[in-house]
Amino acid sequence: MKKKIFNSLLLLLCLAAVVLGIKILFFNNKEANFKIASNVDFYIVSNNNIKSYKVENNKPKLLHTDKLAIAEDVNGWFSKGEIQNRYLIFSEGHSKSAKKNENILSIDFEKGELIKHGSNKYAYTGAGYTTDYYYTFQATGDDGLLYSFDKNGKEIDSYKFTSSALPSTQFTGSNGKLYMVITQENPKSKIFESSLYTFNDGNNLKVLEKQNIDNHSQYLYAFTSLEKIKENLYSPVTSRRNRKTFEVTPDNRIMKFDLKSKQKSFITLKENYPNLIYKSKSENYLITVHEPNMLQKSGFSVINTKNNENYFVAVSDILNSKIYEESNIWTLNTTKDNKLIILAGNSVLFYDLDNKTFLSETKIFNDNTETPLHVWTK
């Protein structure tokens, strides 16, 4: 009798362990599917759906909508990694969120799969990506932690700074290297300095090189993001702070850093407060979104990478919006033929980079519960 009771309890225990294991696996590897079609030109990923579109007469035509619970706590300032021209990887999490939605997400645009890995290693200070890996950064007053993830959003390595380290909100790399602009206090001079860190990419994170790029005696530059084209790095300088008075004044330049000569130069823009920077798929252009709160209008600068010529496009004027919050740029991306797709306010905008021409505006966001996260172009 006792043996039967023991075997019954053992069976129940085993079943409970199996159920618990399934729950844990499901929590850490949530999967969902969405429709993939060959005639799609681009996808818009929002917090609660993925929509596919075809371009007809320079306007978007909706093909399909998949309702999916994707992510709620995504910081739009941080990079979303486009890996191997197939995977979109980004993080979800906010320290003040009551829901504690903490995940690394991977969206496969060949299979039509969404995978979530439960993780508290989400980006809350910065994020970046290279050809094959996605990165998040978590800075504190005492240290800084860099995490790397593979194409499926699985954590593979980490690196710890032993003192406080504040990165630009976006960083990048390629050819086996990750580049980051990091601001730290010099232990000897007790002044803050910005340096370019070069890391070994992927599953063996280590510092390969560190070079000071902020040697101005009077000002500390505020580098906000980073992009790489060939052997040059580009980083917007949104403002500068006086080292003695701590007064902050606006800036309107892009730092260009030559990785071969180790020399830097500056590209002067028409407007102040350049913030997030993106490169076109052709690498012929850089697009810099300006900080709308400081500028009091929404817009972006286009820089020709061959001759550094640039100009500013006021999205607030295109949308005829007197309140810049109504024309806020959520995200943008480019196509292979240098068309710029911008999600701003409740609309999607098409812009021709080669001809410097605004093509169309189409209102597509009518639901206040829908928050645009990313434009995926083929």
Side-chain angles (χ1 to χ4, degrees), residues 14 22 48 70 92 98 118 136 158 166 173 197 217 290 376:
C14 291
I22 291 173
N48 55 15
I70 296 176
E92 173 188 26
T136 63
S158 64
L166 186 63
Y197 276 80
S217 60
H290 292 250
W376 179 274

Side-chain angles (χ1 to χ4, degrees), residues 286-305:
L286 287 164
I287 302 97
T288 302
V289 177
H290 292 250
E291 215 295 312
N293 294 297
M294 302 301 293
L295 199 60
Q296 291 296 295
K297 60 183 175 182
S298 177
F300 60 90
S301 290
V302 178
I303 303 104
N304 187 314
T305 57

Side-chain angles (χ1 to χ4, degrees), residues 183-199:
T183 301
Q184 297 170 291
E185 185 182 37
N186 188 308
K188 294 183 179 179
S189 64
K190 300 299 180 181
I191 65 172
F192 284 90
E193 299 173 340
S194 295
S195 300
L196 175 65
Y197 276 80
T198 304
F199 283 87

Side-chain angles (χ1 to χ4, degrees), residues 30-236:
K30 302 175 185 176
E31 293 189 14
N33 296 93
F34 60 97
K35 186 176 181 180
I36 296 292
S38 59
N39 62 334
V40 173
D41 290 316
F42 68 95
Y43 297 87
I44 293 180
V45 179
S46 297
N47 61 313
N48 55 15
N49 64 64
I50 296 179
K51 294 179 179 178
S52 57
Y53 290 88
K54 183 175 179 59
V55 179
E56 292 186 351
N57 299 318
N58 291 319
K59 289 188 176 182
K61 178 183 178 181
L62 179 63
L63 297 179
H64 187 75
T65 300
D66 282 290
K67 295 287 186 178
L68 299 170
I70 296 176
E72 294 297 332
D73 294 317
V74 179
N75 191 318
W77 282 41
F78 300 151
S79 293
K80 299 172 186 68
E82 294 192 357
I83 308 297
Q84 299 175 6
N85 297 316
R86 174 175 175 176
Y87 302 91
L88 174 66
I89 305 180
F90 57 99
S91 76
E92 173 188 26
H94 195 292
S95 59
K96 295 182 180 179
S97 174
K99 296 181 180 179
K100 292 297 178 184
N101 296 316
E102 299 174 348
N103 296 290
I104 305 296
L105 299 93
S106 174
I107 301 178
D108 186 337
F109 282 93
E110 284 190 11
K111 289 186 176 181
E113 290 182 349
L114 163 67
I115 300 176
K116 290 186 182 182
H117 289 278
S119 173
N120 61 359
K121 311 295 176 57
Y122 61 90
Y124 67 70
T125 319
Y129 68 98
T130 60
T131 310
D132 298 303
Y133 301 97
Y134 173 71
Y135 297 88
T136 63
F137 199 96
Q138 297 183 345
T140 72
D142 300 316
D143 56 25
L145 290 162
L146 174 67
Y147 300 99
S148 62
F149 303 85
D150 67 11
K151 63 186 180 182
N152 296 311
K154 182 180 179 182
E155 182 186 347
I156 56 174
D157 203 4
S158 64
Y159 178 89
K160 183 176 182 179
F161 288 83
T162 56
S163 61
S164 181
L166 186 63
S168 59
T169 56
Q170 296 185 350
F171 33 93
T172 189
S174 63
N175 301 324
K177 293 181 180 179
L178 171 70
Y179 301 97
M180 299 179 66
V181 175
I182 295 180
T183 301
Q184 297 170 291
E185 185 182 37
N186 188 308
K188 294 183 179 179
S189 64
K190 300 299 180 181
I191 65 172
F192 284 90
E193 299 173 340
S194 295
S195 300
L196 175 65
Y197 276 80
T198 304
F199 283 87
N200 192 59
D201 192 20
N203 58 6
N204 184 24
L205 282 175
K206 61 181 180 181
V207 177
L208 300 176
E209 187 179 3
K210 175 186 175 183
Q211 178 166 344
N212 184 285
I213 56 171
D214 194 8
N215 52 8
H216 197 287
S217 60
Q218 188 176 358
Y219 295 105
L220 173 68
Y221 295 134
F223 297 104
T224 56
S225 54
L226 194 67
E227 191 58 275
K228 180 178 183 288
I229 294 180
K230 297 179 180 178
E231 293 302 313
N232 292 302
L233 295 174
Y234 298 85
S235 183

